[in-house]
Amino acid sequence: MGVTHVLVRIDRISEHVGQEIKIGGWLYNKRSSGKIQFLQLRDGTGFVQGVLVKNQVEPEVWETAKQLTQESSLYVWGVVRADERAPSGYELDVTKVEIIQLAEEYPIQKKEHGVDFLMDHRHLWIRSPRQRAILKIRAEIIRAIQDHLNQQGFTLVDPPILTPSACEGTTNLFHTKYFDEDAYLTQSGQLYMEAAAMALNRVYSFGPTFRAEKSKTRRHLIEFWMIEPEMAFVDHEGNLEIQEQLVAHIVDHVLNHCQAELKTLGRDLSALEKVKAPFPRITYDEAVELLHREGFSDFQWGDDFGAPHETKIAESFDRPVFITHYPTEVKAFYMKPDPNRPEVVLCADLIAPEGYGEIIGGSQRIDDPELLAERFEVHRLPKEAYAWYLDLRKYGSVPHSGFGLGLERTVAWICGLEHVRETIPFPRMLNRLYP
RNA sequence: UCCUCAGUAGCUCAAUGGUAGAGCACCCGGCUGUUAACCGGUAGGUUGCAGGUUCGAGUCCUGCCUGAGGAGCCA
């Protein structure tokens, strides 16, 4: 028999007031005076302070506690007591301490550190309350997405990670070998999801994505995770409704399940509470007019928006905002042109509030085989490599739409973070492959 | 790839071209309610690397390396 079945989790400690319990955890910090010691304990589920008074515990227990170093692992026995002075409302009057391992001098201290130092120690940094809160919220966001999509009749489909060629043919891919052939790490599962939508109707993927871009900003990772839903028989307007319901559900779920974590992060909840469907929609044309009014007078129709433009547009709204009908030229080859106005496509980017930028890019896809072939010519894509994709329009093509939601940008926005590097356990960035 | 900034003790940072320092952490001692506890003490250095200017360089100059912020590109 293991020991875990008798351990109490710190997040359940309120159920054990007055009882003597055993917890397994780590010493997060220690404060002491001559005759009293305060042990700051964490077990991954929460934090609690253990208290030892010298003349109330066995001398061996006192001496054992005195030896403890920061991040030493240990079992602690003690009696749970409600205490208004404790941040969590509960304390543990320690009766016994058993050291599992006495930690060496711990590199991360309870003070400010530089980014480079913390990233070098990411494997330890994730133990801190703030990083723990972010990773918990990330997990709850994933749960909210899967719960919502499953409930809406979507089926999870996993596209390949090793691919024979580019999905969109624009960004730089990570090259590798597939025995004697060339292969690339996926930059999007979308084209495969279009195939899946013709088989299973409403589908979504959730997986890692790789971009070998020399991007070096607070919004970029080399390896990141995307949710890519694809829906048969759904048009542009239906696509937007599915997106706004999903995002509103994510925010609602986090507000309902992560109050403690949001508090740890100091997140402004009022900004999140405003995130209710429907979201405002403006066309690309209207966005350009808005930019002209707001000081970007040299912005030309036909240009794509940069980060400062997205931020300015987002500032005009208190909820995420859809920008629709971009010029065909600046968007991907598979997007369906507006039948009434072929110079723009039936697409939308969802821009998060507070300057977090684009969190969703989506569109209605081209379903006409001849038009799709034409787009291949314009974009100079090799038809042989995409023969299977073109097949989808030959054998029962239907109107369909889809989108990709960037998980890390969504986590950064909901958590109110400065940089996406904190939203993923071990970020892969331009200058970082370690740890 | 381009622009801007930075690199000094384990960490965070000071030091007018003139003896390299402080706080925190570690270690030792003190303290009965601490919240990044506090008080006293010990120890801790190839100032990113290579050149150059100078009587003298952490400081000025040149090149390189590493990192950060941003741009482009994107989610």
mmCIF file with all atom_site columns, all heavy atoms in Angstrom, chain A residues 307-322:
data_model
loop_
_atom_site.group_PDB
_atom_site.id
_atom_site.type_symbol
_atom_site.label_atom_id
_atom_site.label_alt_id
_atom_site.label_comp_id
_atom_site.label_asym_id
_atom_site.label_entity_id
_atom_site.label_seq_id
_atom_site.pdbx_PDB_ins_code
_atom_site.Cartn_x
_atom_site.Cartn_y
_atom_site.Cartn_z
_atom_site.occupancy
_atom_site.B_iso_or_equiv
_atom_site.pdbx_formal_charge
_atom_site.auth_seq_id
_atom_site.auth_comp_id
_atom_site.auth_asym_id
_atom_site.auth_atom_id
_atom_site.pdbx_PDB_model_num
ATOM 1   N N   . ALA A 1 307 ? 0.322   44.781 -35.270 1.00 0.00 ? 307 ALA A N   1
ATOM 2   C CA  . ALA A 1 307 ? -0.052  44.754 -33.860 1.00 0.00 ? 307 ALA A CA  1
ATOM 3   C C   . ALA A 1 307 ? -0.600  46.096 -33.359 1.00 0.00 ? 307 ALA A C   1
ATOM 4   O O   . ALA A 1 307 ? -1.604  46.123 -32.641 1.00 0.00 ? 307 ALA A O   1
ATOM 5   C CB  . ALA A 1 307 ? 1.146   44.314 -33.021 1.00 0.00 ? 307 ALA A CB  1
ATOM 6   N N   . PRO A 1 308 ? 0.000   47.237 -33.723 1.00 0.00 ? 308 PRO A N   1
ATOM 7   C CA  . PRO A 1 308 ? -0.527  48.513 -33.234 1.00 0.00 ? 308 PRO A CA  1
ATOM 8   C C   . PRO A 1 308 ? -1.939  48.788 -33.763 1.00 0.00 ? 308 PRO A C   1
ATOM 9   O O   . PRO A 1 308 ? -2.765  49.363 -33.043 1.00 0.00 ? 308 PRO A O   1
ATOM 10  C CB  . PRO A 1 308 ? 0.458   49.554 -33.795 1.00 0.00 ? 308 PRO A CB  1
ATOM 11  C CG  . PRO A 1 308 ? 1.654   48.793 -34.229 1.00 0.00 ? 308 PRO A CG  1
ATOM 12  C CD  . PRO A 1 308 ? 1.200   47.420 -34.558 1.00 0.00 ? 308 PRO A CD  1
ATOM 13  N N   . HIS A 1 309 ? -2.215  48.345 -34.995 1.00 0.00 ? 309 HIS A N   1
ATOM 14  C CA  . HIS A 1 309 ? -3.554  48.533 -35.572 1.00 0.00 ? 309 HIS A CA  1
ATOM 15  C C   . HIS A 1 309 ? -4.585  47.694 -34.819 1.00 0.00 ? 309 HIS A C   1
ATOM 16  O O   . HIS A 1 309 ? -5.658  48.181 -34.459 1.00 0.00 ? 309 HIS A O   1
ATOM 17  C CB  . HIS A 1 309 ? -3.537  48.151 -37.056 1.00 0.00 ? 309 HIS A CB  1
ATOM 18  C CG  . HIS A 1 309 ? -2.486  48.861 -37.860 1.00 0.00 ? 309 HIS A CG  1
ATOM 19  N ND1 . HIS A 1 309 ? -1.503  48.189 -38.554 1.00 0.00 ? 309 HIS A ND1 1
ATOM 20  C CD2 . HIS A 1 309 ? -2.233  50.180 -38.038 1.00 0.00 ? 309 HIS A CD2 1
ATOM 21  C CE1 . HIS A 1 309 ? -0.716  49.062 -39.147 1.00 0.00 ? 309 HIS A CE1 1
ATOM 22  N NE2 . HIS A 1 309 ? -1.124  50.284 -38.840 1.00 0.00 ? 309 HIS A NE2 1
ATOM 23  N N   . GLU A 1 310 ? -4.232  46.422 -34.575 1.00 0.00 ? 310 GLU A N   1
ATOM 24  C CA  . GLU A 1 310 ? -5.159  45.550 -33.849 1.00 0.00 ? 310 GLU A CA  1
ATOM 25  C C   . GLU A 1 310 ? -5.466  46.108 -32.463 1.00 0.00 ? 310 GLU A C   1
ATOM 26  O O   . GLU A 1 310 ? -6.601  46.077 -32.000 1.00 0.00 ? 310 GLU A O   1
ATOM 27  C CB  . GLU A 1 310 ? -4.548  44.144 -33.698 1.00 0.00 ? 310 GLU A CB  1
ATOM 28  C CG  . GLU A 1 310 ? -4.571  43.332 -34.982 1.00 0.00 ? 310 GLU A CG  1
ATOM 29  C CD  . GLU A 1 310 ? -4.035  41.920 -34.771 1.00 0.00 ? 310 GLU A CD  1
ATOM 30  O OE1 . GLU A 1 310 ? -3.593  41.616 -33.646 1.00 0.00 ? 310 GLU A OE1 1
ATOM 31  O OE2 . GLU A 1 310 ? -4.054  41.137 -35.735 1.00 0.00 ? 310 GLU A OE2 1
ATOM 32  N N   . THR A 1 311 ? -4.421  46.619 -31.804 1.00 0.00 ? 311 THR A N   1
ATOM 33  C CA  . THR A 1 311 ? -4.610  47.161 -30.462 1.00 0.00 ? 311 THR A CA  1
ATOM 34  C C   . THR A 1 311 ? -5.545  48.367 -30.492 1.00 0.00 ? 311 THR A C   1
ATOM 35  O O   . THR A 1 311 ? -6.446  48.490 -29.651 1.00 0.00 ? 311 THR A O   1
ATOM 36  C CB  . THR A 1 311 ? -3.249  47.560 -29.864 1.00 0.00 ? 311 THR A CB  1
ATOM 37  O OG1 . THR A 1 311 ? -2.410  46.396 -29.825 1.00 0.00 ? 311 THR A OG1 1
ATOM 38  C CG2 . THR A 1 311 ? -3.410  48.109 -28.458 1.00 0.00 ? 311 THR A CG2 1
ATOM 39  N N   . LYS A 1 312 ? -5.340  49.241 -31.473 1.00 0.00 ? 312 LYS A N   1
ATOM 40  C CA  . LYS A 1 312 ? -6.201  50.435 -31.570 1.00 0.00 ? 312 LYS A CA  1
ATOM 41  C C   . LYS A 1 312 ? -7.655  50.045 -31.811 1.00 0.00 ? 312 LYS A C   1
ATOM 42  O O   . LYS A 1 312 ? -8.580  50.584 -31.189 1.00 0.00 ? 312 LYS A O   1
ATOM 43  C CB  . LYS A 1 312 ? -5.680  51.341 -32.703 1.00 0.00 ? 312 LYS A CB  1
ATOM 44  C CG  . LYS A 1 312 ? -6.525  52.547 -32.992 1.00 0.00 ? 312 LYS A CG  1
ATOM 45  C CD  . LYS A 1 312 ? -6.771  53.412 -31.757 1.00 0.00 ? 312 LYS A CD  1
ATOM 46  C CE  . LYS A 1 312 ? -5.531  54.190 -31.340 1.00 0.00 ? 312 LYS A CE  1
ATOM 47  N NZ  . LYS A 1 312 ? -5.779  54.980 -30.091 1.00 0.00 ? 312 LYS A NZ  1
ATOM 48  N N   . ILE A 1 313 ? -7.870  49.055 -32.696 1.00 0.00 ? 313 ILE A N   1
ATOM 49  C CA  . ILE A 1 313 ? -9.240  48.611 -32.977 1.00 0.00 ? 313 ILE A CA  1
ATOM 50  C C   . ILE A 1 313 ? -9.860  47.994 -31.726 1.00 0.00 ? 313 ILE A C   1
ATOM 51  O O   . ILE A 1 313 ? -10.999 48.303 -31.361 1.00 0.00 ? 313 ILE A O   1
ATOM 52  C CB  . ILE A 1 313 ? -9.243  47.599 -34.149 1.00 0.00 ? 313 ILE A CB  1
ATOM 53  C CG1 . ILE A 1 313 ? -8.793  48.306 -35.434 1.00 0.00 ? 313 ILE A CG1 1
ATOM 54  C CG2 . ILE A 1 313 ? -10.624 46.986 -34.330 1.00 0.00 ? 313 ILE A CG2 1
ATOM 55  C CD1 . ILE A 1 313 ? -8.389  47.359 -36.562 1.00 0.00 ? 313 ILE A CD1 1
ATOM 56  N N   . ALA A 1 314 ? -9.064  47.152 -31.033 1.00 0.00 ? 314 ALA A N   1
ATOM 57  C CA  . ALA A 1 314 ? -9.593  46.484 -29.834 1.00 0.00 ? 314 ALA A CA  1
ATOM 58  C C   . ALA A 1 314 ? -9.969  47.488 -28.750 1.00 0.00 ? 314 ALA A C   1
ATOM 59  O O   . ALA A 1 314 ? -10.925 47.277 -28.001 1.00 0.00 ? 314 ALA A O   1
ATOM 60  C CB  . ALA A 1 314 ? -8.552  45.493 -29.296 1.00 0.00 ? 314 ALA A CB  1
ATOM 61  N N   . GLU A 1 315 ? -9.228  48.581 -28.667 1.00 0.00 ? 315 GLU A N   1
ATOM 62  C CA  . GLU A 1 315 ? -9.494  49.585 -27.632 1.00 0.00 ? 315 GLU A CA  1
ATOM 63  C C   . GLU A 1 315 ? -10.858 50.236 -27.787 1.00 0.00 ? 315 GLU A C   1
ATOM 64  O O   . GLU A 1 315 ? -11.380 50.846 -26.849 1.00 0.00 ? 315 GLU A O   1
ATOM 65  C CB  . GLU A 1 315 ? -8.420  50.696 -27.687 1.00 0.00 ? 315 GLU A CB  1
ATOM 66  C CG  . GLU A 1 315 ? -7.132  50.327 -26.991 1.00 0.00 ? 315 GLU A CG  1
ATOM 67  C CD  . GLU A 1 315 ? -6.035  51.373 -27.234 1.00 0.00 ? 315 GLU A CD  1
ATOM 68  O OE1 . GLU A 1 315 ? -6.324  52.402 -27.892 1.00 0.00 ? 315 GLU A OE1 1
ATOM 69  O OE2 . GLU A 1 315 ? -4.913  51.147 -26.771 1.00 0.00 ? 315 GLU A OE2 1
ATOM 70  N N   . SER A 1 316 ? -11.444 50.137 -28.985 1.00 0.00 ? 316 SER A N   1
ATOM 71  C CA  . SER A 1 316 ? -12.741 50.757 -29.223 1.00 0.00 ? 316 SER A CA  1
ATOM 72  C C   . SER A 1 316 ? -13.892 49.895 -28.719 1.00 0.00 ? 316 SER A C   1
ATOM 73  O O   . SER A 1 316 ? -15.053 50.298 -28.821 1.00 0.00 ? 316 SER A O   1
ATOM 74  C CB  . SER A 1 316 ? -12.920 51.010 -30.726 1.00 0.00 ? 316 SER A CB  1
ATOM 75  O OG  . SER A 1 316 ? -11.822 51.746 -31.233 1.00 0.00 ? 316 SER A OG  1
ATOM 76  N N   . PHE A 1 317 ? -13.585 48.702 -28.202 1.00 0.00 ? 317 PHE A N   1
ATOM 77  C CA  . PHE A 1 317 ? -14.641 47.789 -27.753 1.00 0.00 ? 317 PHE A CA  1
ATOM 78  C C   . PHE A 1 317 ? -14.284 47.206 -26.387 1.00 0.00 ? 317 PHE A C   1
ATOM 79  O O   . PHE A 1 317 ? -13.110 47.124 -26.032 1.00 0.00 ? 317 PHE A O   1
ATOM 80  C CB  . PHE A 1 317 ? -14.806 46.642 -28.766 1.00 0.00 ? 317 PHE A CB  1
ATOM 81  C CG  . PHE A 1 317 ? -15.155 47.112 -30.150 1.00 0.00 ? 317 PHE A CG  1
ATOM 82  C CD1 . PHE A 1 317 ? -14.145 47.402 -31.066 1.00 0.00 ? 317 PHE A CD1 1
ATOM 83  C CD2 . PHE A 1 317 ? -16.473 47.297 -30.525 1.00 0.00 ? 317 PHE A CD2 1
ATOM 84  C CE1 . PHE A 1 317 ? -14.457 47.849 -32.345 1.00 0.00 ? 317 PHE A CE1 1
ATOM 85  C CE2 . PHE A 1 317 ? -16.795 47.750 -31.793 1.00 0.00 ? 317 PHE A CE2 1
ATOM 86  C CZ  . PHE A 1 317 ? -15.787 48.029 -32.703 1.00 0.00 ? 317 PHE A CZ  1
ATOM 87  N N   . ASP A 1 318 ? -15.319 46.824 -25.614 1.00 0.00 ? 318 ASP A N   1
ATOM 88  C CA  . ASP A 1 318 ? -15.046 46.231 -24.298 1.00 0.00 ? 318 ASP A CA  1
ATOM 89  C C   . ASP A 1 318 ? -15.208 44.716 -24.322 1.00 0.00 ? 318 ASP A C   1
ATOM 90  O O   . ASP A 1 318 ? -15.142 44.054 -23.300 1.00 0.00 ? 318 ASP A O   1
ATOM 91  C CB  . ASP A 1 318 ? -15.962 46.854 -23.229 1.00 0.00 ? 318 ASP A CB  1
ATOM 92  C CG  . ASP A 1 318 ? -17.431 46.601 -23.503 1.00 0.00 ? 318 ASP A CG  1
ATOM 93  O OD1 . ASP A 1 318 ? -17.739 45.979 -24.546 1.00 0.00 ? 318 ASP A OD1 1
ATOM 94  O OD2 . ASP A 1 318 ? -18.267 47.030 -22.698 1.00 0.00 ? 318 ASP A OD2 1
ATOM 95  N N   . ARG A 1 319 ? -15.438 44.172 -25.499 1.00 0.00 ? 319 ARG A N   1
ATOM 96  C CA  . ARG A 1 319 ? -15.516 42.722 -25.667 1.00 0.00 ? 319 ARG A CA  1
ATOM 97  C C   . ARG A 1 319 ? -14.633 42.359 -26.852 1.00 0.00 ? 319 ARG A C   1
ATOM 98  O O   . ARG A 1 319 ? -14.219 43.239 -27.616 1.00 0.00 ? 319 ARG A O   1
ATOM 99  C CB  . ARG A 1 319 ? -16.968 42.302 -25.962 1.00 0.00 ? 319 ARG A CB  1
ATOM 100 C CG  . ARG A 1 319 ? -17.856 42.265 -24.737 1.00 0.00 ? 319 ARG A CG  1
ATOM 101 C CD  . ARG A 1 319 ? -19.305 42.124 -25.130 1.00 0.00 ? 319 ARG A CD  1
ATOM 102 N NE  . ARG A 1 319 ? -19.797 43.318 -25.817 1.00 0.00 ? 319 ARG A NE  1
ATOM 103 C CZ  . ARG A 1 319 ? -20.911 43.374 -26.529 1.00 0.00 ? 319 ARG A CZ  1
ATOM 104 N NH1 . ARG A 1 319 ? -21.665 42.303 -26.659 1.00 0.00 ? 319 ARG A NH1 1
ATOM 105 N NH2 . ARG A 1 319 ? -21.275 44.487 -27.104 1.00 0.00 ? 319 ARG A NH2 1
ATOM 106 N N   . PRO A 1 320 ? -14.371 41.055 -27.056 1.00 0.00 ? 320 PRO A N   1
ATOM 107 C CA  . PRO A 1 320 ? -13.641 40.676 -28.271 1.00 0.00 ? 320 PRO A CA  1
ATOM 108 C C   . PRO A 1 320 ? -14.422 41.159 -29.492 1.00 0.00 ? 320 PRO A C   1
ATOM 109 O O   . PRO A 1 320 ? -15.661 41.194 -29.464 1.00 0.00 ? 320 PRO A O   1
ATOM 110 C CB  . PRO A 1 320 ? -13.621 39.146 -28.204 1.00 0.00 ? 320 PRO A CB  1
ATOM 111 C CG  . PRO A 1 320 ? -13.804 38.818 -26.756 1.00 0.00 ? 320 PRO A CG  1
ATOM 112 C CD  . PRO A 1 320 ? -14.697 39.891 -26.204 1.00 0.00 ? 320 PRO A CD  1
ATOM 113 N N   . VAL A 1 321 ? -13.714 41.550 -30.545 1.00 0.00 ? 321 VAL A N   1
ATOM 114 C CA  . VAL A 1 321 ? -14.382 42.094 -31.728 1.00 0.00 ? 321 VAL A CA  1
ATOM 115 C C   . VAL A 1 321 ? -13.959 41.308 -32.974 1.00 0.00 ? 321 VAL A C   1
ATOM 116 O O   . VAL A 1 321 ? -12.779 40.987 -33.153 1.00 0.00 ? 321 VAL A O   1
ATOM 117 C CB  . VAL A 1 321 ? -14.085 43.605 -31.893 1.00 0.00 ? 321 VAL A CB  1
ATOM 118 C CG1 . VAL A 1 321 ? -12.577 43.889 -31.911 1.00 0.00 ? 321 VAL A CG1 1
ATOM 119 C CG2 . VAL A 1 321 ? -14.751 44.170 -33.138 1.00 0.00 ? 321 VAL A CG2 1
ATOM 120 N N   . PHE A 1 322 ? -14.959 40.982 -33.806 1.00 0.00 ? 322 PHE A N   1
ATOM 121 C CA  . PHE A 1 322 ? -14.682 40.323 -35.087 1.00 0.00 ? 322 PHE A CA  1
ATOM 122 C C   . PHE A 1 322 ? -14.365 41.375 -36.148 1.00 0.00 ? 322 PHE A C   1
ATOM 123 O O   . PHE A 1 322 ? -15.113 42.355 -36.287 1.00 0.00 ? 322 PHE A O   1
ATOM 124 C CB  . PHE A 1 322 ? -15.914 39.551 -35.583 1.00 0.00 ? 322 PHE A CB  1
ATOM 125 C CG  . PHE A 1 322 ? -16.196 38.276 -34.841 1.00 0.00 ? 322 PHE A CG  1
ATOM 126 C CD1 . PHE A 1 322 ? -17.333 38.157 -34.040 1.00 0.00 ? 322 PHE A CD1 1
ATOM 127 C CD2 . PHE A 1 322 ? -15.352 37.178 -34.968 1.00 0.00 ? 322 PHE A CD2 1
ATOM 128 C CE1 . PHE A 1 322 ? -17.615 36.975 -33.369 1.00 0.00 ? 322 PHE A CE1 1
ATOM 129 C CE2 . PHE A 1 322 ? -15.631 35.991 -34.297 1.00 0.00 ? 322 PHE A CE2 1
ATOM 130 C CZ  . PHE A 1 322 ? -16.755 35.893 -33.498 1.00 0.00 ? 322 PHE A CZ  1
#
